[in-house]
């Protein structure tokens, strides 16, 4: 079965350049009109879909969704983004652009192609800066301060339309001509457009092939032939009739989030920036007081040898977190690079098998030998490993405070929630003292405290894991320039202190730092990096540190989903966002984006197969299977 898994990297476009215009060698066709590709985009796609006037009418907290079959150079996307900037007046309205590309351009080719239009330079530069590593699957890219969200699916078009959850207001049916690229225009792919369309959706395409027109008509679109661009005589436009106005998901009037760690604060800020009011509740005195309260935290994942759904989720989260945290660079985010050492024979073997089976873009990671590892980190190492150039470390407590500071986030700290109660279509949050708080939707981000708040019976498979970090003052060690990971992680010195950790204590509830845990951290660190500490004698008794409790699931995969009981019954508008374990800083930005998509009724950033990895019902299923096997 593993032999059938596809590699993470995807084939890129093969280009030839004629007079500065890219042409696909694979399909023998140009990406856009040689005379004026931008004018072509506006004539073929923007005007027939009436985008300018429709953008003006998008309400507060609303969204407009454009879907495209064939991202190519991104020219159509930039033209749409430019029109959105000019015509969409509401600051909380969001443009979603969902596009598929089987053979994506490499970044340097994208930049070269889009340089033909100086008026698009600022948009093209931002797109190029956030252009993702070319790996299979869905990539969510936030642009223009979040006012534009690009979901770029790299892979087959039928696979994309089956996997993605969205409803389009307008369609760009692009891609090379049906004669040269028949896969793009298969009847099955065209028929799926109907399932992803809102009532009244429009579409436009440069082609006028009668088979395409008939297929779209059979899917329910009213089709029309209109003049094409330049020397192209005809093209097709279509509209899906509004037979019955469906109730579209609207942004909820209110959302309450219980737990102000990195997950809760990221979700609160995401929703607030979409114009949705949020109540943020925590028993602590302020944000980032629990497991997110450490001085430093590394952003890393351990990618599996097989590129399966679990590995794809980890990779997607890693790349998204790097793009997301870039806005906080040199404040709370420090992209120093990160080295995953091949620190033992077992890890050396794992990395060897991993590299033999997979080809990842070098911007994600690349292997380094012992000498290179020492040069990159600035300290001697015993082995090489995997170098992640875009990773680094975060100051999570400070970031949580920044995230929670938004006019639409109402903060309730030192509030101990005792119970959640369903009241018709709303939820009542009952604190230990004070009046109930009534809200439309609740998200529980309370880590290992989550089960006590769930208003359903049953035992959820969530683990409380103690983790102690050790603070090392700068004079006690040689500070690396980057994060180094093995059985422990070591961060560079910041403000005179470097953080090393963390222990993994499944059966220890002690909330206070202990000498034994410090000595365990120090031993693991010196085994990993001999000579990194200048003097270890008595150090475990003199250092300081911090204890927090992670929350992990039985399968060590996160939960981001509406709550289900053991029978699959959904507790409507009550969500769980927990189980992030030791990788919370890396997973939380992507999963906050995903939950905000769901809570706002907007296109979802994850494909269906990755959503299943986050389902809450699996916690019950694991318990049931263990009971039966016993």
């Amino acid at each position: 079965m593993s032999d059938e898994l596809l590699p993470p990297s995807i084939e890129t476009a093969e280009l030839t350049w004629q007079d500065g215009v890219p042409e696909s060698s694979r399909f023998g066709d140009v990406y856009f009109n040689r005379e004026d590709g931008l004018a072509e985009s506006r004539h073929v796609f923007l005007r027939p879909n009436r985008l300018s006037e429709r953008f003006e009418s998008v309400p507060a907290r609303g969204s407009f969704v454009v879907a495209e079959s064939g991202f190519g150079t991104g020219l159509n996307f930039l033209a749409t983004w430019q029109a959105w900037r000019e015509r969409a007046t509401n600051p909380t309205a969001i443009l979603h652009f969902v596009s598929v590309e089987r053979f994506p351009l490499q970044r340097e080719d994208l930049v070269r192609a889009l340089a033909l239009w100086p008026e698009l330079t600022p948009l093209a530069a931002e797109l190029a800066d956030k252009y993702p590593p070319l790996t299979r699957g869905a990539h969510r890219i936030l642009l223009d301060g979040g006012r534009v969200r690009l979901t770029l699916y790299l892979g087959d078009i039928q696979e994309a339309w089956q996997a993605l959850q969205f409803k389009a207001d307008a369609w760009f049916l692009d891609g090379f001509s049906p004669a040269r690229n028949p896969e793009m225009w298969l009847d099955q792919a065209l028929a799926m457009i109907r399932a992803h369309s809102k009532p009244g959706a429009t579409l436009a395409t440069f082609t006028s092939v009668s088979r395409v027109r008939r297929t779209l008509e059979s899917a329910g679109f009213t089709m029309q032939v209109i003049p094409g661009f330049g020397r192209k005589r005809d093209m097709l436009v279509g509209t899906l009739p509004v037979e019955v106005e469906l109730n579209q998901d609207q942004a909820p009037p209110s959302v309450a989030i219980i737990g102000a760690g990195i997950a809760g604060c990221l979700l609160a800020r995401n929703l607030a920036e979409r114009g949705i009011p949020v109540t943020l509740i925590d028993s602590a005195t302020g944000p980032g007081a629990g497991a997110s309260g450490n001085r430093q935290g590394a952003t890393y994942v351990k990618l599996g040898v097989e590129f399966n759904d679990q590995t794809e989720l980890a990779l997607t989260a890693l790349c998204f977190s790097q793009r997301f945290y870039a806005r906080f660079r040199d404040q709370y985010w420090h992209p120093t690079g990160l080295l995953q050492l091949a620190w033992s024979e077992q890890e050396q073997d794992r990395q060897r098998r991993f590299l033999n089976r997979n080809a990842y873009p070098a911007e994600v990671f690349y292997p380094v030998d012992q000498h290179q590892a020492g040069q990159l980190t600035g300290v001697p190492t015993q082995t090489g490993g995997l170098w992640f150039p875009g990773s680094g470390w975060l100051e999570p407590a400070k970031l949580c405070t920044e995230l929670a500071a938004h006019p639409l986030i109402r903060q309730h700290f030192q509030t101990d929630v005792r119970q959640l109660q369903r009241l018709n279509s709303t939820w009542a949050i009952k604190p230990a003292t004070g009046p109930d708080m009534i809200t439309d939707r609740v998200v529980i981000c309370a880590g290992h405290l989550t089960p006590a708040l769930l208003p359903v019976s049953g035992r959820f498979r969530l683990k409380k894991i103690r983790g102690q970090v050790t603070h090392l003052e700068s004079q006690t060690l040689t500070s690396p320039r980057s994060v180094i990971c093995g059985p422990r992680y070591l961060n560079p010195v910041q403000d005179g202190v470097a953080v090393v950790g963390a222990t993994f204590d499944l059966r220890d509830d002690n909330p206070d730092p202990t000498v034994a845990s410090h000595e365990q951290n120090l031993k693991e660190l010196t085994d990993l990096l001999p000579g990194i500490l200048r003097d270890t004698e008595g150090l475990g008794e003199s250092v300081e540190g911090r204890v927090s409790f992670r929350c992990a699931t039985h399968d060590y995969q996160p939960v981001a989903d509406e709550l289900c009981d053991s029978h699959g019954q959904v507790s409507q508008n009550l969500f769980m966002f927990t189980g992030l374990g030791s990788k919370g800083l890396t997973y939380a930005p992507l999963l906050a984006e995903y939950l905000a998509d769901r809570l706002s009724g907007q296109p979802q950033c994850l494909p269906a197969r990755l959503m299943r990895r986050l389902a809450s019902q699996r916690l019950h299923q694991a318990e049931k299977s263990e009971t039966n096997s016993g």
Side-chain angles (χ1 to χ4, degrees), residues 67-80:
E68 176 188 52
S69 58
F71 187 74
T73 64
L75 178 59
N76 294 337
F77 167 64
L78 293 191
T80 306

Side-chain angles (χ1 to χ4, degrees), residues 292-556:
S292 302
N294 290 337
R295 296 176 61 125
Q296 296 177 312
T299 59
Y300 73 102
V301 293
K302 197 167 185 178
L303 301 172
V305 172
E306 306 288 358
F307 189 68
N308 51 25
D309 292 345
Q310 181 173 328
T311 303
E312 184 178 343
L313 179 63
L315 174 65
T316 304
L318 176 68
C319 295
F320 183 88
S321 70
Q322 293 171 359
R323 293 193 298 270
F324 178 84
Y325 288 138
R327 65 194 281 196
F328 303 107
R329 183 175 183 141
D330 299 328
Q331 290 179 283
Y332 321 115
W333 166 236
H334 306 272
T336 57
L338 180 147
L339 177 67
Q340 285 187 5
L341 273 174
W343 55 277
S344 66
E345 290 185 7
Q346 181 181 5
E347 178 62 13
Q348 289 172 18
D349 178 66
R350 192 195 76 84
Q351 290 191 14
R352 189 179 306 112
R353 290 183 291 113
F354 175 75
L355 293 168
N356 286 340
R357 292 194 66 85
N358 301 286
Y360 283 82
E363 61 190 298
V364 178
F365 76 85
Y366 55 88
V368 295
D369 59 25
Q370 180 182 1
H371 176 69
Q372 292 169 315
Q375 287 186 318
L376 289 166
T377 62
V379 297
T381 65
Q382 297 186 94
T383 66
L386 305 177
W387 175 252
F388 290 75
S391 291
W393 64 274
L394 199 68
E395 298 176 70
K398 293 180 180 179
L399 178 59
C400 286
T401 300
E402 171 87 4
L403 292 169
H406 189 282
L408 288 181
I409 300 176
R410 185 174 56 175
Q411 302 181 17
H412 285 268
F413 291 104
Q414 295 181 291
T415 301
D416 189 8
V417 176
R418 293 296 176 85
Q419 186 182 3
L420 297 175
Q421 183 179 349
R422 184 74 171 169
L423 297 176
N424 297 321
S425 61
T426 61
W427 285 93
I429 300 173
K430 296 179 174 294
T433 60
D436 293 353
M437 289 177 270
I438 308 301
T439 186
D440 295 284
R441 300 187 181 186
V442 178
V443 186
I444 303 174
C445 304
H448 67 278
L449 302 174
T450 296
L453 297 173
L454 299 177
V456 297
S457 60
R459 178 169 167 264
F460 282 79
R461 300 286 288 169
L462 293 171
K463 304 176 183 180
K464 175 183 176 183
I465 304 173
R466 180 182 183 272
Q468 179 173 320
V469 297
T470 299
H471 298 166
L472 296 175
E473 295 185 1
S474 57
Q475 63 268 24
T476 65
L477 81 163
T478 302
S479 175
R481 290 194 294 262
S482 67
V483 181
I484 302 176
C485 294
R488 292 292 186 274
Y489 64 82
L490 172 65
N491 290 317
V493 168
Q494 170 81 352
D495 296 331
V497 173
V499 175
V500 60
T503 61
F504 190 92
D505 309 320
L506 271 170
R507 298 175 181 84
D508 188 346
D509 290 333
N510 187 351
D512 299 317
T514 66
V515 172
S517 290
H518 283 317
E519 290 178 344
Q520 184 182 346
N521 280 336
L522 295 173
K523 181 183 183 307
E524 294 283 6
L525 177 62
T526 53
D527 287 347
L528 181 70
L529 297 167
I532 193 75
L533 297 177
R534 297 196 172 104
D535 185 7
T536 60
E537 186 175 352
L539 189 58
E541 299 177 0
S542 62
V543 294
E544 295 182 352
R546 186 175 185 275
V547 171
S548 59
F549 292 91
R550 316 177 191 99
C551 179
T553 62
H554 66 287
D555 57 6
Y556 292 97

Side-chain angles (χ1 to χ4, degrees), residues 38 42 73-75 77-79 81-82 85-86 110-130 143-144:
L38 182 55
R42 291 168 177 157
T73 64
L75 178 59
F77 167 64
L78 293 191
W81 179 5
Q82 183 187 54
R85 270 190 161 186
E86 294 171 353
L110 187 91
V111 170
R112 180 179 176 184
L114 295 174
L116 293 171
W117 296 280
E119 68 179 280
L120 299 177
T121 295
L123 307 186
E126 186 173 353
L127 174 63
D129 181 58
K130 297 181 179 179
L143 300 153
D144 215 346

